[in-house]
Amino acid sequence: MQRITIDLVSDVVCPWCYLGKARLDLAIAEVQDAVSIDINWRPYRLNPDYPPEGVDQQVELAKKLGGKENMDRGHQQLTDLGREVGIAFDFDAIKIGPNTLDAHRLIHWAGTESREIQEAVVSALFKANFEEGRNVGDHAVLLEIAEAAGLESKVIKTLLAGDADKDLILDEIDAAQKMGVNGVPFFIIDQKYAVSGAQPSDVLANAFREIAAEKASEQSKLN
């Protein structure tokens, strides 16, 4: 079985990233008998200028999207697409637009434990923000998610209270932007192929099969 590694650049307040994750999960399930896929979650911030306490989400997003009508239209489209893959988007419930730096620190710390714990944290952050309207910039929310995923809450509380790994996260985002990542989700497959946007699951599954076949062909030439 061929193994593929995906570095997935995303932000937990990006609805297309949540949609992209759900579609990715379906694609992975589709090819699981032929291809093994490891995911490394990489940081990106859609709103780096938001203060630590966050902003009024409804007001700021309407400004960003050119008015409430445009925002509502976009939300309806995403709600319909989300329903197809089991996401119950509740955009009206999102009151605070958070600064996601601390959420990305938590994802990083989860990744130092295992990919499984990192996956659990990422899933919980997306769900908390988009389905439950919880503030994922709030340390209490982050601690609850960390503990539920199996992380040591006392350790995470201490880390969140300080500046641990802030520079590392910001440097990763800077490196991604210098590589040309200016929108998310962005998939970097085996450090060799790039796929941008929330692609349909069948498109991703076909890409994984083709990449796995190419790897198998390259390996057979070496033997």
Side-chain angles (χ1 to χ4, degrees), residues 12-223:
V12 294
V13 293
C14 163
W16 291 100
C17 294
Y18 195 14
L19 185 68
K21 180 188 182 305
R23 289 174 170 178
L24 173 61
D25 290 343
L26 290 172
I28 290 172
E30 192 177 323
V31 302
Q32 63 183 347
D33 293 336
V35 188
S36 177
I37 297 174
D38 294 324
I39 302 171
N40 300 318
W41 289 88
R42 303 299 185 190
Y44 195 86
R45 291 199 295 168
L46 290 179
N47 308 300
D49 298 328
Y50 281 7
E53 67 274 16
V55 298
D56 184 318
Q57 170 73 0
Q58 304 297 321
V59 170
E60 291 302 319
L61 190 59
K63 279 185 201 170
K64 191 174 182 180
L65 298 179
K68 187 176 186 304
E69 195 174 305
N70 286 344
M71 179 179 76
D72 290 344
R73 192 182 303 115
H75 284 169
Q76 188 57 57
Q77 179 193 11
L78 280 157
T79 299
D80 294 341
L81 291 170
R83 198 176 293 118
E84 294 173 5
V85 290
I87 296 172
F89 280 116
D90 187 354
F91 291 104
D92 290 340
I94 307 172
K95 306 304 181 188
I96 303 295
N99 183 307
T100 56
L101 179 58
D102 287 340
H104 285 302
R105 289 202 293 158
L106 177 59
I107 292 169
H108 168 70
W109 299 327
T112 64
E113 294 293 326
S114 72
R115 284 197 172 97
E116 290 73 23
I117 290 177
Q118 187 176 57
E119 167 73 16
V121 165
V122 169
S123 295
L125 286 166
F126 275 129
K127 188 177 180 69
N129 183 70
F130 285 112
E131 299 188 42
E132 299 166 353
R134 301 172 76 198
N135 177 6
V136 294
D138 184 331
H139 286 189
V141 173
L142 294 177
L143 283 169
E144 202 174 301
I145 286 170
E147 194 167 7
L151 293 167
E152 179 56 58
S153 59
K154 285 183 181 176
V155 173
I156 299 300
K157 186 176 183 179
T158 301
L159 289 170
L160 283 171
D163 292 330
D165 295 316
K166 283 185 178 179
D167 287 344
L168 182 147
I169 299 299
L170 296 173
D171 286 348
E172 268 204 52
I173 294 169
D174 186 52
Q177 289 172 330
K178 283 176 179 171
M179 272 175 45
V181 178
N182 54 21
V184 286
F186 195 90
F187 302 74
I188 302 164
I189 306 171
D190 278 350
Q191 298 292 313
K192 193 174 177 182
Y193 309 94
V195 178
S196 180
Q199 299 295 328
S201 57
D202 58 335
V203 171
L204 290 172
N206 288 336
F208 298 153
R209 289 191 189 98
E210 288 173 13
I211 291 167
E214 187 178 309
K215 289 181 81 168
S217 174
E218 287 171 358
Q219 287 168 5
S220 68
K221 289 173 185 173
L222 295 173
N223 294 334

